[in-house]
């Protein structure tokens, strides 16, 4: 386990997406915390060295207290802010975008995100920490070096958000930037409130916190934060074990879905193809292969897989197979085929904004502007009347439909 975590840490430099996936599958919070603490200590090793060299217990204790304090010049506030401010701020921005409630997302994704963020922070600052440990020079404390490490960390944090939540990189970067900005404010708050925060370390508060959090009540909620990561890793292990069975195509399919959500399309395609090899009538695997090919602009391949999926199950994924097939045919300029598939889909799912948008786009290409305009208007209305828990997933199609309507005027 230690070796796997170390490998994932250093793999962040070369293949960050693969490394973050490995962290979600095998990462441990204790290792991530120790890695971040070790890097933080190395960043300030020359501040601690004189106290250690003097070997006076009082000086050593003072150095260690400074390491964990909230005060300006201490070594630890950025890690406090990362755990207490940045990760919750990212989850709050995710919830604020309509993708679930804050409480549910905290329970399911907080620890997973926190492990990734600690590992990314350690990776981003490790080169500077090693340089400072090797060379006792003031020029290594220049703001430019810290800014470069911070920029690298935010980029890795964006990839972490992308991997944990399955977002695009742009959305991940936006949420990571929001979280990082909140953490900077948090560090400033720690600096202002530092002495008052020592109350949290008082024996009275710790004794009260033990009974509050460890003895039922809120304790079950706090302990449940780690369940999301544990259950995710357990499920992944069970699927990998199941793939040993050469006849178990479903295990490969489920692993493919995990990789697809993380946008590791090479691994996802390999799993879906293996599922099809085991069971050629696995309609869902054909459907996902078609979706990936469509997203990557390989329209003819997408059409082939989606046609196979539709032939195996005409109502696959609530008939979404016809919507994706229509979009693929549109991308390949097969306008008549696209119109037929999307008309069929719109007849079955008349209030789906995405299907209405693609149908409208097809009719624009067929120079049927009046009909296309009506479909774009229906798409916008469908988004507006969508239940709030679904609106975040479909608002994109309402925005695109408005753009198309403006172009038709």
């Amino acid at each position: 386990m230690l070796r796997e975590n170390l490998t994932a840490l250093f793999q962040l430099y070369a293949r960050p997406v693969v490394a973050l996936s490995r962290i979600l599958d095998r990462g441990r919070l204790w290792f991530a915390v120790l890695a971040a603490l070790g890097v933080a200590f190395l960043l300030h090793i020359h501040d601690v060295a004189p106290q250690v060299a003097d070997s006076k217990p009082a000086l050593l204790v003072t150095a260690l207290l400074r390491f964990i304090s909230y005060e300006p010049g201490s070594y630890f506030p950025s890690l406090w802010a990362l755990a207490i401010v940045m990760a919750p701020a990212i989850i709050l921005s995710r919830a604020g975008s309509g993708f679930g409630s804050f409480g549910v997302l905290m329970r399911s994704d907080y620890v997973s995100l926190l492990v990734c963020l600690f590992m990314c922070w350690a990776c981003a600052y490790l080169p500077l920490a090693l340089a400072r440990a090797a060379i006792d020079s003031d020029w290594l404390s220049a703001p430019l070096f810290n800014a470069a490490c911070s920029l690298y960390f935010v980029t890795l944090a964006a990839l972490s958000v992308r991997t944990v939540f399955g977002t695009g990189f742009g959305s991940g970067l936006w949420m990571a930037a929001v979280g990082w900005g909140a953490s900077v404010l948090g560090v400033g708050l720690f600096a202002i409130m530092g002495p008052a925060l020592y109350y949290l370390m008082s024996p009275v508060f710790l004794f009260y916190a033990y009974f509050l959090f460890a003895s039922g009540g809120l304790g079950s909620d706090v302990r449940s934060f780690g369940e999301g990561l544990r259950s995710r890793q357990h499920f992944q292990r069970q699927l990998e074990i199941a793939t040993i069975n050469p006849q178990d195509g479903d295990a490969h399919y489920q692993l493919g879905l995990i990789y697809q959500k993380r946008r590791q399309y090479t691994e996802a395609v390999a799993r879906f193809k293996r599922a099809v090899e085991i069971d050629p009538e696995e309609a869902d695997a054909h459907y996902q292969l078609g979706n990936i090919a469509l997203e990557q602009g390989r329209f003819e391949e997408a059409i082939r897989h989606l046609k196979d999926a539709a032939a195996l199950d005409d109502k696959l994924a609530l008939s979404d197979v016809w919507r994706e097939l229509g979009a693929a045919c549109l991308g390949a300029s097969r306008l008549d085929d696209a119109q037929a598939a999307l008309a069929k889909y719109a007849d079955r799912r008349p209030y789906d904004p995405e299907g209405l948008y693609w149908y409208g786009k097809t009719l624009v290409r067929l120079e049927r502007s009046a009909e296309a305009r009506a479909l774009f208007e229906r798409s916008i209305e469908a988004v507006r009347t969508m239940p709030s828990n679904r609106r975040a997933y479909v608002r994109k199609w309402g925005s695109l439909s408005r753009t198309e309507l403006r172009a038709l005027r």
Side-chain angles (χ1 to χ4, degrees):
M1 190 61 64
L2 177 62
R3 181 178 179 180
E4 289 181 337
N5 280 264
L6 275 172
T7 301
L9 176 62
F10 289 107
Q11 195 175 32
L12 281 168
Y13 293 108
R15 303 180 66 191
V17 174
V18 175
L20 288 166
S21 182
R22 176 176 290 187
I23 290 168
L24 284 181
D25 295 339
R26 297 287 187 269
R28 291 292 182 268
L29 181 59
W30 62 264
F31 177 87
V33 170
L34 289 178
L37 287 175
V39 171
F41 188 80
L42 286 176
L43 282 170
H44 300 276
I45 187 65
H46 292 293
D47 297 331
V48 181
Q51 286 91 335
V52 175
D54 290 342
S55 67
K56 295 180 180 179
L59 290 176
L60 183 58
V61 169
T62 300
L64 293 175
L65 286 176
R66 185 184 175 194
F67 181 68
I68 64 173
S69 72
Y70 306 96
E71 296 177 355
S74 62
Y75 321 143
F76 204 24
S78 57
L79 300 184
W80 281 117
L82 192 152
I84 299 173
V85 181
M86 182 171 182
I90 289 173
I91 291 175
L92 181 62
S93 54
R94 175 72 172 171
S97 299
F99 293 93
S101 70
F102 177 72
V104 170
L105 291 175
M106 282 290 289
R107 288 179 177 83
S108 63
D109 296 316
Y110 173 72
V111 174
S112 301
L113 180 61
L114 188 61
V115 170
C116 291
L117 291 178
F118 272 137
M119 293 282 271
C120 291
W121 191 92
C123 170
Y125 284 90
L126 180 59
L128 181 60
L130 292 175
R132 286 184 179 177
I135 305 171
D136 185 8
S137 176
D138 291 338
W139 68 271
L140 285 172
S141 299
L144 178 62
F145 292 105
N146 283 297
C149 291
S150 296
L151 181 60
Y152 185 31
F153 168 62
V154 172
T155 303
L156 291 177
L159 291 174
S160 298
V161 174
R162 179 178 181 264
T163 303
V164 172
F165 296 117
T167 69
F169 180 74
S171 298
L173 185 60
W174 172 77
M175 285 188 276
V178 169
W180 182 79
S183 70
V184 171
L185 294 176
V187 170
L189 184 63
F190 291 158
I192 295 171
M193 299 181 61
L197 290 175
Y198 280 113
Y199 170 75
L200 299 179
M201 296 183 181
S202 69
V204 174
F205 179 83
L206 293 176
F207 182 76
Y208 173 75
Y210 172 79
F211 282 98
L212 180 63
F213 292 106
S215 304
L218 292 177
S220 59
D221 290 336
V222 173
R223 289 191 296 271
S224 71
F225 285 171
E227 288 298 325
L229 179 62
R230 286 192 293 269
S231 61
R232 181 179 299 182
Q233 292 181 344
H234 177 73
F235 181 59
Q236 177 89 7
R237 286 194 297 271
Q238 294 303 311
L239 287 176
E240 290 175 349
I241 292 171
T243 58
I244 297 173
N245 180 357
Q247 303 302 317
D248 194 345
D250 185 64
H252 287 281
Y253 173 73
Q254 296 296 334
L255 281 171
L257 290 178
I258 292 173
Y259 288 124
Q260 186 179 16
K261 180 184 176 183
R262 297 175 184 174
R263 298 176 181 267
Q264 293 179 260
Y265 292 130
T266 302
E267 292 83 354
V269 167
R271 293 295 183 176
F272 291 140
K273 285 184 175 179
R274 180 59 183 148
V276 170
E277 289 173 4
I278 295 172
D279 182 5
E281 296 188 357
E282 176 60 71
D284 290 299
H286 280 292
Y287 175 63
Q288 299 302 342
L289 285 168
N291 281 338
I292 292 173
L294 174 59
E295 186 165 347
Q296 294 180 337
R298 294 179 282 113
F299 299 118
E300 294 297 338
E301 183 180 344
I303 291 170
R304 185 175 72 253
H305 283 297
L306 291 167
K307 280 186 173 180
D308 289 341
L312 291 166
D313 185 351
D314 182 74
K315 297 181 179 179
L316 181 63
L318 298 176
S319 294
D320 282 356
V321 63
W322 293 104
R323 181 188 66 199
E324 305 306 314
L325 178 57
C329 289
L330 176 61
S333 295
R334 297 190 187 184
L335 300 182
D336 291 335
D337 291 338
Q339 193 272 335
L342 290 166
K344 186 173 186 176
Y345 179 75
D347 184 60
R348 295 182 180 183
R349 300 277 303 279
Y351 303 108
D352 178 67
E354 184 179 355
L356 293 169
Y357 169 77
W358 288 121
Y359 195 7
K361 285 280 290 184
T362 301
L363 294 183
V364 168
R365 295 276 299 275
L366 290 170
E367 298 182 353
R368 294 160 59 179
S369 300
E371 296 171 78
R373 186 178 294 106
L375 287 168
F376 291 137
E377 290 173 350
R378 284 171 56 189
S379 176
I380 294 168
E381 181 65 16
V383 172
R384 191 184 66 80
T385 58
M386 191 72 62
S388 58
N389 62 321
R390 284 283 304 153
R391 200 171 298 142
Y393 296 91
V394 298
R395 66 164 64 102
K396 166 186 176 182
W397 306 108
S399 298
L400 290 173
S401 294
R402 289 189 183 89
T403 301
E404 293 294 330
L405 276 177
R406 286 193 292 269
L408 288 173
R409 289 171 184 166

